[in-house]
Amino acid sequence: MKRIMIGTSWKMNKPLSAALHYCETLAEQLPAVLHPAIQPFFIPPFTAIQPVTEFLQRHQLPCLTGAQNMHYAEEGAWTGEISASMIAETGATLVELGHSERRHAFNETDGAINKKVHAALRHGLRPLVCVGDSAEEKQWGVSPETVIRQMKIALHGLTAQQVTQTLVAYEPVWAIGEQGIPATPQEAAGIHLALRGALCQCFGDEIGQKIPLLYGGSVNIDNAVELLSQPNIDGLFIGRAAWDAAGYCALIKRVVEDFIAKQQ
Ligand code: PGA
């Protein structure tokens, strides 16, 4: 059985004090509910990455950490930006790239995301590439080609070895945030099947099948199990429902009891 990735980006939330408070609750509650088939991950804002990573290591919590963005350049005159080597130095091993909030609010292009993916891998970071269709693209019936295009450009030029280090998250723009309507498990499964097909076509079946495909967009405790039950959904990328550590642990408990336990 593939290890299921279940994690969260805190977006621009949680100053250091709140981040560490979250970690304390995790240390109290996560060990009792976690199962080895699940790989938890946490993506704090830059200022909290290192302390959160160190806290999780100190408490021997088997969790990965990551950054929410980075620049593709190695270094230089890029005021306000953070490089891959700076992230690697914090102890984090993941970097989220191409979230729709970055594409839309900060004009991130597919080409820039591709450069970031290459830079991340050069520094031993695993890119978590987000792709997503807008409400209009969904209405026009072009969701599969939209996300396949985004993914192919993001992964362009990677070697087979590099691509196995990469994670992809399907995050429909219409499903994210307060106004979002979660994709039905069937809708998500349809897009994940299309993404899987494109991965196998580009990198061959063996590698294409290995790349974890996560779903994100209004994931919550009530839809997590049904989403994970779909073929080609290998993990969940959660926002609001996991910003409270107790909520995250409750979701993990539900997945272990209602999904993992039933598969064994
Ligand atoms: P949400 O965010 O779970 O709050 O909809 C998801 C995301 O942006 O990854």
Side-chain angles (χ1 to χ4, degrees), residues 138-202:
K138 184 182 183 214
Q139 202 189 345
W140 292 328
V142 297
S143 299
E145 49 266 62
T146 300
V147 296
I148 287 172
R149 180 179 182 282
Q150 291 172 358
M151 182 179 72
K152 280 188 175 176
I153 299 173
L155 305 185
H156 181 76
L158 297 188
T159 63
Q161 202 279 331
Q162 285 176 318
V163 86
T164 56
Q165 295 306 303
T166 304
L167 310 145
V168 175
Y170 170 51
E171 300 221 318
V173 179
W174 43 269
I176 293 174
E178 293 290 342
Q179 313 300 325
I181 303 156
T184 64
Q186 294 69 27
E187 279 173 326
I191 297 290
H192 279 236
L193 179 64
L195 290 170
R196 181 73 71 207
L199 286 171
C200 291
Q201 187 201 31
C202 292

Side-chain angles (χ1 to χ4, degrees), residues 46-70:
F46 288 131
T47 50
I49 299 174
Q50 184 156 357
V52 164
T53 306
E54 286 173 358
F55 183 103
L56 297 172
Q57 283 170 356
R58 212 167 43 247
H59 289 78
Q60 295 179 354
L61 295 172
C63 304
L64 305 177
T65 54
Q68 298 175 18
N69 178 39
M70 52 166 252

Side-chain angles (χ1 to χ4, degrees), residues 7 18 28 63 65 101 111 131-132 137 142 148 162 206 219-220 230 237 240 243:
E28 282 162 23
C63 304
T65 54
E101 286 154 16
V131 296
E137 286 159 338
V142 297
I148 287 172
Q162 285 176 318
E206 204 191 323
V219 173
N220 58 52
Q230 306 304 313
F237 194 14
R240 290 156 298 148
W243 289 348

Side-chain angles (χ1 to χ4, degrees), residues 101-110 112:
E101 286 154 16
R102 295 223 47 96
R103 291 177 189 263
H104 299 145
F106 301 97
N107 301 318
E108 260 186 34
T109 62
D110 290 314

